[in-house]
């Protein structure tokens, strides 16, 4: 079960989009503001952004509405 979960999570993290609400391994939740191959910039408060290694994004709390 864990292998399937890990694969699903890896796939989900590979497909992050602007505006997705994510959670980090440290429990911080925020909105995806920018993405690179290795780093996700997460906005945790208005105009407060932190850079998080993609490996430390544990999940999507809420997907952004699809256009």
């Amino acid at each position: 079960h864990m292998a399937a979960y890990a694969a699903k999570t890896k796939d989900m993290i590979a497909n992050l989009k602007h505006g997705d609400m994510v959670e980090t391994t440290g429990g911080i939740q925020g909105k995806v503001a920018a993405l690179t191959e290795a780093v996700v910039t997460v906005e945790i408060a208005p105009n407060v952004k932190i850079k998080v290694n993609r490996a430390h994004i544990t999940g999507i709390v809420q997907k952004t509405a699809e256009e």
Side-chain angles (χ1 to χ4, degrees):
H1 285 312
M2 282 311 286
Y5 174 77
K8 184 172 175 247
T9 303
K10 188 168 182 265
D11 194 47
M12 176 196 71
I13 288 160
N15 294 305
L16 287 175
K17 290 185 176 62
H18 276 229
D20 285 349
M21 286 291 293
V22 295
E23 186 166 345
T24 71
T25 50
I28 296 167
Q29 293 185 355
K31 191 180 288 188
V32 174
L35 294 158
T36 68
E37 200 65 31
V39 176
V40 180
T41 302
V42 181
E43 187 171 22
I44 55 174
N47 299 312
V48 181
K49 297 179 177 124
I50 56 171
K51 290 184 188 235
V52 181
N53 184 298
R54 212 179 256 261
H56 288 279
I57 301 292
T58 55
I60 295 178
V61 180
Q62 185 184 335
K63 289 291 289 173
T64 186
E66 295 293 325
E67 265 91 78

